[in-house]
Amino acid sequence: MVVGGAVKVGVSEVTQQEVVTPGASEPTTGGGMRGLLQPLSSLSFIRTDSTIEGTRSGSTMISSAPTGKRSYRRLALASRITLVVFLLVLATLASLLLYRVLKWNETRFAKEQFVSMGDRASQSVLNLVSRKRLSMASFSAVISEQHPNPEMWPNVHVDGFGRIVDVIAKSGLHEQMGFAPILSYDGLREWEDHAYAYFLSRPDYFPNNTAVNPPFGRGVWRIGPNKTRVHDNDELTRDRGLLLPVFQCCIDNPGDRIRLFNLYSEPKRRKAIDGVINCTRSLRERYLFNESVNRFPDYSCGSQTEFTRIVRFEHRGPAAVMMQPIFPADDPWNIAGIVLSPIVYDEIFEDVFDRDLTGVHAVLESEESKYTYTITDGLVESFQKGDVHDAQFNDLAQSTYLTWTDLEDIAPMPRLKLTMYPTDGYIKAYSTDNPLNAALAALFAVIFATMLFLLYDFFVRSEISERRQLLDAKRRFVRYVSHEVRTPLNAVIMGLACLRSDLDNQRLVNSSEE
Protein backbone atom coordinates (compact mmCIF):
# COMPACT_ATOMS: atom_id res chain seq x y z
CA MET A 1 0.00 0.00 0.00
CA VAL A 2 1.29 3.51 -0.85
CA VAL A 3 0.71 6.16 1.82
CA GLY A 4 2.06 9.73 1.44
CA GLY A 5 4.45 8.66 -1.31
CA ALA A 6 5.94 5.73 0.72
CA VAL A 7 5.36 1.97 0.59
CA LYS A 8 3.73 0.41 3.63
CA VAL A 9 4.36 -3.27 3.81
CA GLY A 10 2.70 -5.32 6.50
CA VAL A 11 4.37 -8.27 8.25
CA SER A 12 1.80 -10.74 7.06
CA GLU A 13 2.27 -9.55 3.49
CA VAL A 14 5.97 -9.99 3.64
CA THR A 15 5.85 -13.47 5.23
CA GLN A 16 3.44 -14.78 2.62
CA GLN A 17 5.08 -13.12 -0.36
CA GLU A 18 7.33 -14.98 -2.61
CA VAL A 19 10.59 -13.21 -3.04
CA VAL A 20 12.59 -13.71 -6.18
CA THR A 21 16.26 -13.06 -5.87
CA PRO A 22 17.88 -11.69 -8.96
CA GLY A 23 19.75 -14.41 -10.78
CA ALA A 24 17.89 -17.30 -9.00
CA SER A 25 16.01 -19.87 -11.04
CA GLU A 26 13.33 -20.74 -8.46
CA PRO A 27 11.74 -19.28 -5.40
CA THR A 28 13.23 -19.74 -2.03
CA THR A 29 11.13 -20.00 1.10
CA GLY A 30 13.93 -19.17 3.43
CA GLY A 31 15.99 -21.20 5.85
CA GLY A 32 19.05 -20.33 7.77
CA MET A 33 21.13 -17.18 7.17
CA ARG A 34 20.75 -17.43 3.43
CA GLY A 35 17.01 -17.49 3.79
CA LEU A 36 17.23 -14.38 5.96
CA LEU A 37 19.44 -12.46 3.57
CA GLN A 38 17.46 -13.28 0.50
CA PRO A 39 14.24 -11.73 1.80
CA LEU A 40 16.06 -8.63 2.97
CA SER A 41 17.70 -8.05 -0.37
CA SER A 42 14.45 -8.80 -2.12
CA LEU A 43 12.54 -6.44 0.16
CA SER A 44 15.10 -3.75 -0.39
CA PHE A 45 14.59 -4.14 -4.08
CA ILE A 46 10.83 -3.99 -3.78
CA ARG A 47 10.95 -0.94 -1.47
CA THR A 48 13.11 0.98 -3.83
CA ASP A 49 10.78 0.49 -6.79
CA SER A 50 7.68 1.22 -4.75
CA THR A 51 9.26 4.34 -3.28
CA ILE A 52 10.09 5.61 -6.74
CA GLU A 53 6.52 5.09 -7.87
CA GLY A 54 5.13 6.71 -4.71
CA THR A 55 7.49 9.65 -5.09
CA ARG A 56 6.39 10.18 -8.68
CA SER A 57 2.74 10.03 -7.66
CA GLY A 58 3.34 12.47 -4.77
CA SER A 59 5.17 14.84 -7.09
CA THR A 60 2.15 14.92 -9.36
CA MET A 61 -0.11 15.77 -6.41
CA ILE A 62 2.27 18.41 -5.05
CA SER A 63 2.75 20.02 -8.45
CA SER A 64 -1.00 20.43 -8.87
CA ALA A 65 -1.41 22.19 -5.49
CA PRO A 66 0.37 25.51 -6.36
CA THR A 67 -1.86 25.91 -9.40
CA GLY A 68 -4.99 25.84 -7.24
CA LYS A 69 -3.43 28.21 -4.73
CA ARG A 70 -2.53 30.70 -7.44
CA SER A 71 -6.08 30.64 -8.76
CA TYR A 72 -7.42 31.21 -5.26
CA ARG A 73 -5.02 34.08 -4.70
CA ARG A 74 -5.98 35.74 -7.98
CA LEU A 75 -9.66 35.40 -7.10
CA ALA A 76 -9.05 36.84 -3.62
CA LEU A 77 -7.04 39.75 -5.06
CA ALA A 78 -9.75 40.50 -7.63
CA SER A 79 -12.38 40.44 -4.88
CA ARG A 80 -10.39 42.87 -2.77
CA ILE A 81 -9.83 45.24 -5.68
CA THR A 82 -13.53 45.12 -6.54
CA LEU A 83 -14.45 45.86 -2.94
CA VAL A 84 -12.03 48.78 -2.75
CA VAL A 85 -13.27 50.25 -6.04
CA PHE A 86 -16.87 49.84 -4.93
CA LEU A 87 -16.16 51.58 -1.62
CA LEU A 88 -14.36 54.46 -3.34
CA VAL A 89 -17.14 54.94 -5.88
CA LEU A 90 -19.76 54.75 -3.14
CA ALA A 91 -17.79 57.23 -1.01
CA THR A 92 -17.43 59.61 -3.95
CA LEU A 93 -21.15 59.50 -4.71
CA ALA A 94 -22.01 59.97 -1.06
CA SER A 95 -19.61 62.92 -0.81
CA LEU A 96 -21.12 64.54 -3.89
CA LEU A 97 -24.59 64.03 -2.47
CA LEU A 98 -23.51 65.51 0.85
CA TYR A 99 -21.97 68.49 -0.96
CA ARG A 100 -25.13 69.09 -2.97
CA VAL A 101 -27.34 68.84 0.11
CA LEU A 102 -25.19 71.26 2.11
CA LYS A 103 -25.00 73.73 -0.79
CA TRP A 104 -28.75 73.49 -1.20
CA ASN A 105 -29.16 74.23 2.50
CA GLU A 106 -26.90 77.27 2.17
CA THR A 107 -28.87 78.54 -0.82
CA ARG A 108 -32.16 77.91 0.97
CA PHE A 109 -30.86 79.77 4.04
CA ALA A 110 -29.75 82.68 1.83
CA LYS A 111 -33.19 82.83 0.23
CA GLU A 112 -34.91 82.72 3.61
CA GLN A 113 -32.66 85.51 4.83
CA PHE A 114 -33.47 87.55 1.73
CA VAL A 115 -37.21 87.11 2.23
CA SER A 116 -36.85 88.19 5.84
CA MET A 117 -34.62 91.11 4.86
CA GLY A 118 -37.03 92.08 2.07
CA ASP A 119 -39.94 92.19 4.48
CA ARG A 120 -38.00 94.40 6.88
CA ALA A 121 -36.72 96.66 4.09
CA SER A 122 -40.19 97.01 2.54
CA GLN A 123 -41.64 97.91 5.91
CA SER A 124 -38.85 100.42 6.52
CA VAL A 125 -39.44 102.06 3.15
CA LEU A 126 -43.19 102.22 3.79
CA ASN A 127 -42.54 103.74 7.21
CA LEU A 128 -40.29 106.35 5.62
CA VAL A 129 -42.87 107.22 2.96
CA SER A 130 -45.62 107.35 5.59
CA ARG A 131 -43.42 109.59 7.71
CA LYS A 132 -43.02 111.99 4.79
CA ARG A 133 -46.72 111.82 4.10
CA LEU A 134 -47.73 112.60 7.68
CA SER A 135 -45.21 115.45 7.96
CA MET A 136 -46.66 116.99 4.80
CA ALA A 137 -50.15 116.59 6.27
CA SER A 138 -48.89 118.38 9.37
CA PHE A 139 -47.58 121.26 7.27
CA SER A 140 -50.91 121.35 5.42
CA ALA A 141 -52.76 121.59 8.75
CA VAL A 142 -50.52 124.48 9.87
CA ILE A 143 -51.28 126.44 6.69
CA SER A 144 -54.97 125.58 7.04
CA GLU A 145 -55.10 127.03 10.53
CA GLN A 146 -53.08 130.11 9.60
CA HIS A 147 -55.51 130.92 6.80
CA PRO A 148 -58.87 129.39 7.76
CA ASN A 149 -61.02 131.73 5.64
CA PRO A 150 -61.37 130.45 2.07
CA GLU A 151 -62.05 134.03 0.89
CA MET A 152 -58.42 134.91 1.65
CA TRP A 153 -57.12 132.40 -0.86
CA PRO A 154 -55.06 132.36 -3.05
CA ASN A 155 -53.42 135.63 -1.95
CA VAL A 156 -51.88 134.19 1.21
CA HIS A 157 -48.40 133.34 2.48
CA VAL A 158 -47.16 131.25 5.39
CA ASP A 159 -45.81 133.31 8.27
CA GLY A 160 -42.65 131.80 9.73
CA PHE A 161 -42.29 129.55 6.72
CA GLY A 162 -38.57 128.98 7.20
CA ARG A 163 -38.78 127.94 10.84
CA ILE A 164 -41.86 125.78 10.37
CA VAL A 165 -40.47 123.97 7.37
CA ASP A 166 -37.10 123.47 9.03
CA VAL A 167 -38.73 121.56 11.90
CA ILE A 168 -41.28 119.65 9.83
CA ALA A 169 -38.76 118.76 7.11
CA LYS A 170 -36.45 117.22 9.68
CA SER A 171 -39.25 115.21 11.22
CA GLY A 172 -40.24 113.86 7.80
CA LEU A 173 -36.72 113.60 6.40
CA HIS A 174 -37.54 116.03 3.60
CA GLU A 175 -34.78 117.77 1.75
CA GLN A 176 -37.12 120.50 0.53
CA MET A 177 -40.74 121.52 1.08
CA GLY A 178 -42.89 124.10 -0.68
CA PHE A 179 -46.31 125.59 -0.97
CA ALA A 180 -48.35 126.29 -4.13
CA PRO A 181 -51.80 127.93 -4.08
CA ILE A 182 -54.46 127.04 -6.65
CA LEU A 183 -55.53 130.02 -8.76
CA SER A 184 -57.54 130.61 -11.90
CA TYR A 185 -56.38 132.30 -15.05
CA ASP A 186 -58.51 135.35 -14.30
CA GLY A 187 -56.83 135.90 -10.93
CA LEU A 188 -53.28 135.41 -12.26
CA ARG A 189 -52.23 139.08 -12.46
CA GLU A 190 -53.56 139.90 -9.01
CA TRP A 191 -51.75 136.97 -7.48
CA GLU A 192 -48.46 137.86 -9.24
CA ASP A 193 -48.63 141.33 -7.69
CA HIS A 194 -49.20 139.74 -4.29
CA ALA A 195 -46.21 137.38 -4.74
CA TYR A 196 -43.74 140.09 -5.73
CA ALA A 197 -44.97 142.33 -2.95
CA TYR A 198 -44.16 139.54 -0.50
CA PHE A 199 -40.67 139.10 -1.97
CA LEU A 200 -40.00 142.85 -1.70
CA SER A 201 -41.18 142.86 1.91
CA ARG A 202 -38.33 140.54 2.82
CA PRO A 203 -35.21 142.13 1.31
CA ASP A 204 -33.12 140.50 4.02
CA TYR A 205 -34.20 137.09 2.78
CA PHE A 206 -35.07 137.28 -0.92
CA PRO A 207 -32.58 138.56 -3.50
CA ASN A 208 -33.59 141.48 -5.75
CA ASN A 209 -33.99 139.22 -8.78
CA THR A 210 -36.19 136.63 -7.08
CA ALA A 211 -38.64 135.10 -9.59
CA VAL A 212 -37.37 137.36 -12.37
CA ASN A 213 -36.77 135.26 -15.48
CA PRO A 214 -35.34 136.57 -18.72
CA PRO A 215 -36.47 137.24 -21.35
CA PHE A 216 -40.00 138.00 -20.15
CA GLY A 217 -39.08 139.19 -16.62
CA ARG A 218 -41.63 138.93 -13.83
CA GLY A 219 -44.49 136.45 -13.70
CA VAL A 220 -45.53 132.79 -13.50
CA TRP A 221 -43.66 130.69 -16.03
CA ARG A 222 -43.54 127.33 -17.78
CA ILE A 223 -41.07 125.46 -19.99
CA GLY A 224 -41.62 126.53 -23.58
CA PRO A 225 -40.15 125.45 -26.90
CA ASN A 226 -36.44 124.63 -26.90
CA LYS A 227 -36.61 124.33 -23.09
CA THR A 228 -36.79 128.08 -22.60
CA ARG A 229 -38.91 129.81 -19.94
CA VAL A 230 -42.00 131.62 -21.10
CA HIS A 231 -44.60 133.64 -19.27
CA ASP A 232 -47.51 131.29 -18.60
CA ASN A 233 -50.37 133.69 -19.31
CA ASP A 234 -51.44 132.87 -22.86
CA GLU A 235 -54.30 130.98 -24.46
CA LEU A 236 -52.75 127.64 -23.52
CA THR A 237 -52.91 128.72 -19.91
CA ARG A 238 -56.53 129.76 -20.30
CA ASP A 239 -57.40 126.37 -21.82
CA ARG A 240 -55.90 124.49 -18.87
CA GLY A 241 -57.96 126.59 -16.51
CA LEU A 242 -55.78 126.29 -13.41
CA LEU A 243 -52.35 127.41 -12.24
CA LEU A 244 -50.32 126.14 -9.28
CA PRO A 245 -47.19 128.32 -9.10
CA VAL A 246 -44.51 127.40 -6.58
CA PHE A 247 -44.58 130.26 -4.11
CA GLN A 248 -42.78 129.60 -0.83
CA CYS A 249 -40.05 126.97 -0.94
CA CYS A 250 -36.35 126.26 -0.93
CA ILE A 251 -35.32 127.30 2.58
CA ASP A 252 -31.68 126.71 1.76
CA ASN A 253 -31.85 128.85 -1.40
CA PRO A 254 -34.31 131.74 -1.23
CA GLY A 255 -33.43 132.79 -4.76
CA ASP A 256 -34.02 129.38 -6.28
CA ARG A 257 -35.20 129.74 -9.87
CA ILE A 258 -38.00 127.21 -9.35
CA ARG A 259 -40.13 129.96 -7.79
CA LEU A 260 -43.34 130.79 -9.65
CA PHE A 261 -43.00 127.72 -11.86
CA ASN A 262 -46.51 126.56 -12.80
CA LEU A 263 -46.68 122.92 -11.68
CA TYR A 264 -49.89 122.46 -13.66
CA SER A 265 -48.11 123.20 -16.94
CA GLU A 266 -46.01 120.01 -16.83
CA PRO A 267 -47.93 116.84 -17.85
CA LYS A 268 -46.67 114.50 -15.12
CA ARG A 269 -47.28 117.01 -12.37
CA ARG A 270 -50.65 117.94 -13.86
CA LYS A 271 -51.75 114.27 -13.77
CA ALA A 272 -50.93 114.01 -10.07
CA ILE A 273 -52.64 117.33 -9.30
CA ASP A 274 -55.79 116.29 -11.16
CA GLY A 275 -55.83 113.10 -9.10
CA VAL A 276 -55.63 115.08 -5.85
CA ILE A 277 -58.35 117.53 -6.94
CA ASN A 278 -60.70 114.81 -8.19
CA CYS A 279 -60.18 112.83 -5.00
CA THR A 280 -61.12 115.80 -2.79
CA ARG A 281 -64.17 116.58 -4.92
CA SER A 282 -65.34 112.97 -4.72
CA LEU A 283 -64.94 112.98 -0.95
CA ARG A 284 -66.80 116.28 -0.71
CA GLU A 285 -69.72 114.88 -2.68
CA ARG A 286 -69.85 111.79 -0.48
CA TYR A 287 -69.81 113.91 2.65
CA LEU A 288 -72.44 116.38 1.46
CA PHE A 289 -74.91 113.75 0.31
CA ASN A 290 -74.35 111.42 3.27
CA GLU A 291 -73.29 113.10 6.46
CA SER A 292 -72.97 109.69 8.16
CA VAL A 293 -69.86 109.05 6.12
CA ASN A 294 -66.85 109.23 8.40
CA ARG A 295 -64.49 112.03 7.56
CA PHE A 296 -61.30 110.87 5.96
CA PRO A 297 -58.00 111.78 7.65
CA ASP A 298 -56.35 115.02 6.66
CA TYR A 299 -53.68 113.17 4.74
CA SER A 300 -56.19 111.46 2.46
CA CYS A 301 -55.98 112.28 -1.26
CA GLY A 302 -52.23 112.80 -1.09
CA SER A 303 -50.42 111.75 -4.24
CA GLN A 304 -47.17 111.95 -6.11
CA THR A 305 -46.05 112.25 -9.68
CA GLU A 306 -44.59 109.70 -12.01
CA PHE A 307 -40.82 109.70 -12.32
CA THR A 308 -39.99 113.24 -13.29
CA ARG A 309 -36.98 115.41 -13.91
CA ILE A 310 -35.83 117.59 -11.04
CA VAL A 311 -32.78 119.52 -12.19
CA ARG A 312 -31.41 119.98 -8.72
CA PHE A 313 -31.31 116.22 -8.04
CA GLU A 314 -30.87 114.93 -11.55
CA HIS A 315 -27.46 113.36 -10.82
CA ARG A 316 -29.02 111.16 -8.11
CA GLY A 317 -31.44 109.35 -10.36
CA PRO A 318 -35.22 109.24 -10.70
CA ALA A 319 -37.29 111.53 -8.56
CA ALA A 320 -40.90 112.55 -8.05
CA VAL A 321 -42.93 115.29 -6.39
CA MET A 322 -45.10 114.37 -3.42
CA MET A 323 -48.28 116.41 -2.99
CA GLN A 324 -50.71 116.99 -0.16
CA PRO A 325 -53.93 119.05 -0.45
CA ILE A 326 -54.55 122.10 1.75
CA PHE A 327 -58.08 122.70 3.03
CA PRO A 328 -58.96 126.03 4.74
CA ALA A 329 -60.07 125.29 8.29
CA ASP A 330 -63.48 126.94 7.74
CA ASP A 331 -64.15 124.96 4.55
CA PRO A 332 -62.50 121.54 5.03
CA TRP A 333 -63.75 120.14 1.71
CA ASN A 334 -62.64 122.95 -0.57
CA ILE A 335 -59.06 122.45 -1.77
CA ALA A 336 -57.18 125.77 -1.86
CA GLY A 337 -53.55 124.78 -2.39
CA ILE A 338 -50.97 122.01 -2.31
CA VAL A 339 -47.98 121.24 -0.14
CA LEU A 340 -45.23 119.73 -2.20
CA SER A 341 -41.92 118.04 -1.54
CA PRO A 342 -39.45 116.46 -3.93
CA ILE A 343 -38.44 112.88 -3.24
CA VAL A 344 -35.31 111.41 -4.74
CA TYR A 345 -35.70 107.67 -4.53
CA ASP A 346 -32.16 106.90 -3.52
CA GLU A 347 -32.96 108.49 -0.14
CA ILE A 348 -35.63 105.89 0.68
CA PHE A 349 -32.90 103.23 0.82
CA GLU A 350 -30.83 105.08 3.42
CA ASP A 351 -30.71 103.30 6.77
CA VAL A 352 -32.90 100.54 5.35
CA PHE A 353 -30.27 97.85 4.73
CA ASP A 354 -27.46 96.61 6.93
CA ARG A 355 -24.07 98.00 6.01
CA ASP A 356 -22.73 94.54 5.25
CA LEU A 357 -25.56 93.79 2.81
CA THR A 358 -24.45 93.42 -0.80
CA GLY A 359 -26.15 92.18 -3.93
CA VAL A 360 -29.74 93.46 -4.04
CA HIS A 361 -31.61 94.83 -7.03
CA ALA A 362 -34.38 97.28 -6.09
CA VAL A 363 -36.72 97.89 -9.02
CA LEU A 364 -38.95 100.97 -8.93
CA GLU A 365 -41.83 100.61 -11.34
CA SER A 366 -44.37 103.23 -12.35
CA GLU A 367 -47.00 103.11 -15.04
CA GLU A 368 -44.59 104.55 -17.58
CA SER A 369 -41.07 103.51 -16.72
CA LYS A 370 -38.80 101.39 -14.53
CA TYR A 371 -35.49 101.94 -12.77
CA THR A 372 -33.18 99.44 -11.14
CA TYR A 373 -30.99 100.31 -8.14
CA THR A 374 -28.02 98.17 -7.16
CA ILE A 375 -27.47 97.99 -3.42
CA THR A 376 -23.88 97.45 -2.23
CA ASP A 377 -22.71 97.68 1.39
CA GLY A 378 -26.19 98.77 2.39
CA LEU A 379 -26.22 101.84 0.09
CA VAL A 380 -27.17 102.63 -3.49
CA GLU A 381 -24.14 101.95 -5.65
CA SER A 382 -25.70 102.71 -9.03
CA PHE A 383 -28.96 102.93 -10.91
CA GLN A 384 -30.00 102.35 -14.50
CA LYS A 385 -33.14 102.68 -16.49
CA GLY A 386 -35.19 99.55 -17.03
CA ASP A 387 -35.66 96.33 -15.11
CA VAL A 388 -32.33 94.49 -15.21
CA HIS A 389 -32.77 92.06 -12.34
CA ASP A 390 -31.85 88.40 -12.81
CA ALA A 391 -34.96 86.51 -13.91
CA GLN A 392 -33.88 83.35 -12.07
CA PHE A 393 -34.82 85.06 -8.80
CA ASN A 394 -38.37 86.01 -9.80
CA ASP A 395 -39.78 83.64 -7.20
CA LEU A 396 -38.02 85.65 -4.45
CA ALA A 397 -39.49 89.01 -5.45
CA GLN A 398 -40.50 91.19 -2.48
CA SER A 399 -42.97 93.84 -3.65
CA THR A 400 -44.77 96.72 -2.03
CA TYR A 401 -46.62 99.82 -3.24
CA LEU A 402 -45.15 103.17 -2.21
CA THR A 403 -48.11 105.26 -3.34
CA TRP A 404 -51.33 105.67 -1.43
CA THR A 405 -54.08 103.39 -2.64
CA ASP A 406 -56.66 103.89 0.11
CA LEU A 407 -58.79 106.14 -2.16
CA GLU A 408 -57.91 104.64 -5.50
CA ASP A 409 -61.53 103.71 -6.15
CA ILE A 410 -62.45 107.41 -5.86
CA ALA A 411 -59.83 108.93 -8.13
CA PRO A 412 -57.11 107.14 -10.10
CA MET A 413 -53.64 108.26 -9.07
CA PRO A 414 -50.13 107.33 -10.18
CA ARG A 415 -48.94 104.14 -8.59
CA LEU A 416 -45.37 103.27 -7.73
CA LYS A 417 -44.24 99.76 -6.87
CA LEU A 418 -40.95 98.74 -5.29
CA THR A 419 -39.73 95.19 -5.90
CA MET A 420 -36.53 93.75 -4.50
CA TYR A 421 -34.61 90.81 -5.94
CA PRO A 422 -31.39 89.12 -4.82
CA THR A 423 -28.40 88.81 -7.10
CA ASP A 424 -25.80 86.11 -7.48
CA GLY A 425 -23.58 88.22 -5.25
CA TYR A 426 -26.14 88.09 -2.45
CA ILE A 427 -26.47 84.31 -2.68
CA LYS A 428 -22.68 83.87 -2.85
CA ALA A 429 -22.29 85.99 0.27
CA TYR A 430 -23.92 83.13 2.18
CA SER A 431 -21.81 80.52 0.41
CA THR A 432 -18.94 78.99 2.41
CA ASP A 433 -16.37 76.24 2.02
CA ASN A 434 -18.12 74.13 4.64
CA PRO A 435 -19.98 71.88 2.15
CA LEU A 436 -16.77 71.17 0.25
CA ASN A 437 -14.80 70.59 3.45
CA ALA A 438 -17.49 68.27 4.81
CA ALA A 439 -17.66 66.30 1.55
CA LEU A 440 -13.87 65.94 1.36
CA ALA A 441 -13.71 64.96 5.02
CA ALA A 442 -16.31 62.23 4.45
CA LEU A 443 -14.44 61.00 1.37
CA PHE A 444 -11.09 60.96 3.16
CA ALA A 445 -12.67 59.18 6.13
CA VAL A 446 -13.89 56.38 3.86
CA ILE A 447 -10.50 56.22 2.12
CA PHE A 448 -8.75 56.07 5.48
CA ALA A 449 -11.10 53.33 6.69
CA THR A 450 -10.47 51.41 3.47
CA MET A 451 -6.72 51.72 3.95
CA LEU A 452 -7.06 50.45 7.51
CA PHE A 453 -9.11 47.54 6.24
CA LEU A 454 -6.50 46.71 3.61
CA LEU A 455 -3.73 47.00 6.18
CA TYR A 456 -5.60 44.75 8.58
CA ASP A 457 -6.30 42.31 5.77
CA PHE A 458 -2.61 42.31 4.84
CA PHE A 459 -1.50 41.44 8.36
CA VAL A 460 -4.20 38.80 8.73
CA ARG A 461 -3.22 37.20 5.42
CA SER A 462 0.45 37.36 6.42
CA GLU A 463 -0.29 35.57 9.66
CA ILE A 464 -2.45 32.99 7.90
CA SER A 465 0.28 32.51 5.30
CA GLU A 466 2.88 31.97 8.01
CA ARG A 467 0.65 29.47 9.75
CA ARG A 468 -0.03 27.71 6.47
CA GLN A 469 3.71 27.54 5.72
CA LEU A 470 4.33 26.16 9.21
CA LEU A 471 1.60 23.56 8.70
CA ASP A 472 3.03 22.63 5.30
CA ALA A 473 6.48 22.28 6.88
CA LYS A 474 5.07 19.99 9.55
CA ARG A 475 3.35 17.92 6.92
CA ARG A 476 6.49 17.68 4.83
CA PHE A 477 8.48 16.70 7.91
CA VAL A 478 5.96 14.02 8.82
CA ARG A 479 6.01 12.70 5.25
CA TYR A 480 9.80 12.67 5.26
CA VAL A 481 10.02 10.96 8.64
CA SER A 482 7.33 8.51 7.57
CA HIS A 483 9.27 7.66 4.46
CA GLU A 484 12.81 7.65 5.78
CA VAL A 485 12.23 6.02 9.17
CA ARG A 486 9.15 3.89 8.86
CA THR A 487 10.37 1.97 5.82
CA PRO A 488 13.67 0.80 7.44
CA LEU A 489 11.74 -0.07 10.57
CA ASN A 490 9.41 -2.20 8.49
CA ALA A 491 12.45 -3.95 7.04
CA VAL A 492 13.89 -4.60 10.52
CA ILE A 493 10.55 -5.84 11.76
CA MET A 494 10.24 -8.03 8.72
CA GLY A 495 13.75 -9.37 9.26
CA LEU A 496 13.06 -10.10 12.90
CA ALA A 497 9.85 -11.84 11.89
CA CYS A 498 11.77 -13.97 9.43
CA LEU A 499 14.43 -14.70 12.05
CA ARG A 500 11.74 -15.63 14.53
CA SER A 501 10.12 -17.85 11.99
CA ASP A 502 13.44 -19.60 11.32
CA LEU A 503 14.04 -20.03 15.02
CA ASP A 504 10.58 -21.47 15.45
CA ASN A 505 11.14 -23.83 12.57
CA GLN A 506 14.50 -24.88 14.00
CA ARG A 507 12.94 -25.48 17.34
CA LEU A 508 10.29 -27.63 15.76
CA VAL A 509 12.93 -29.63 13.89
CA ASN A 510 14.91 -30.19 17.08
CA SER A 511 11.82 -31.27 18.92
CA SER A 512 10.92 -33.77 16.21
CA GLU A 513 14.38 -35.30 16.23
CA GLU A 514 14.22 -35.84 19.88
Side-chain angles (χ1 to χ4, degrees), residues 310-361:
I310 300 179
V311 176
R312 186 172 184 176
F313 306 111
E314 193 170 13
H315 65 285
R316 290 172 51 184
V321 179
M322 301 178 68
M323 300 179 181
Q324 182 67 34
I326 302 173
F327 305 101
D330 294 343
D331 188 4
W333 294 106
N334 183 19
I335 182 171
I338 286 179
V339 171
L340 61 145
S341 175
I343 176 173
V344 187
Y345 286 108
D346 62 351
E347 69 182 76
I348 67 175
F349 300 115
E350 294 180 3
D351 301 324
V352 169
F353 303 103
D354 295 334
R355 287 294 179 260
D356 58 349
L357 178 69
T358 296
V360 174
H361 279 154

Side-chain angles (χ1 to χ4, degrees), residues 149-308:
N149 187 0
E151 301 297 330
M152 299 173 57
W153 291 78
N155 300 327
V156 299
H157 65 271
V158 180
D159 294 325
F161 176 85
R163 182 180 178 185
I164 294 172
V165 170
D166 184 56
V167 174
I168 293 179
K170 289 180 180 178
S171 67
L173 302 178
H174 296 278
E175 297 193 32
Q176 291 292 337
M177 295 186 75
F179 154 59
I182 298 177
L183 55 134
S184 65
Y185 178 80
D186 295 334
L188 175 59
R189 184 175 296 277
E190 181 183 356
W191 185 86
E192 287 179 342
D193 293 338
H194 164 76
Y196 283 101
Y198 172 71
F199 294 148
L200 291 175
S201 69
R202 296 285 308 274
D204 59 328
Y205 187 75
F206 295 105
N208 292 331
N209 61 347
T210 299
V212 177
N213 298 285
F216 67 89
R218 293 173 41 165
V220 177
W221 60 276
R222 71 173 186 267
I223 300 296
N226 301 321
K227 296 184 178 181
T228 59
R229 300 187 180 198
V230 298
H231 195 188
D232 196 7
N233 64 346
D234 52 15
E235 293 298 324
L236 184 60
T237 309
R238 183 188 298 274
D239 293 340
R240 286 195 300 265
L242 296 178
L243 294 93
L244 278 89
V246 178
F247 182 31
Q248 289 176 287
C249 74
C250 318
I251 57 176
D252 62 339
N253 185 10
D256 197 303
R257 297 185 64 193
I258 193 65
R259 292 184 186 278
L260 301 195
F261 169 64
N262 182 15
L263 298 172
Y264 204 69
S265 66
E266 197 273 321
K268 291 184 178 179
R269 292 171 172 85
R270 182 166 60 248
K271 180 180 179 180
I273 293 170
D274 286 340
V276 173
I277 293 175
N278 293 333
C279 176
T280 57
R281 288 175 178 172
S282 298
L283 287 179
R284 181 173 181 271
E285 292 176 0
R286 286 191 178 187
Y287 182 76
L288 292 177
F289 286 102
N290 186 2
E291 294 185 0
S292 63
V293 174
N294 292 328
R295 182 178 175 180
F296 284 83
D298 290 336
Y299 54 82
S300 296
C301 291
S303 183
Q304 66 186 54
T305 66
E306 293 274 353
F307 296 125
T308 189

Side-chain angles (χ1 to χ4, degrees), residues 482-504:
S482 175
H483 179 269
E484 298 297 335
V485 175
R486 186 172 55 188
T487 302
L489 287 176
N490 286 337
V492 172
I493 293 172
M494 183 174 56
L496 292 175
C498 292
L499 182 59
R500 181 177 182 181
S501 177
D502 288 344
L503 291 176
D504 290 339

Side-chain angles (χ1 to χ4, degrees), residues 268 306-309 314-319 361-374 380 382-389:
K268 291 184 178 179
E306 293 274 353
F307 296 125
T308 189
R309 179 175 177 265
E314 193 170 13
H315 65 285
R316 290 172 51 184
H361 279 154
V363 180
L364 281 174
E365 178 181 356
S366 69
E367 297 174 359
E368 299 179 358
S369 56
K370 299 178 182 180
Y371 287 87
T372 301
Y373 291 85
T374 301
V380 174
S382 62
F383 70 91
Q384 52 188 313
K385 192 170 184 177
D387 185 352
V388 297
H389 81 277

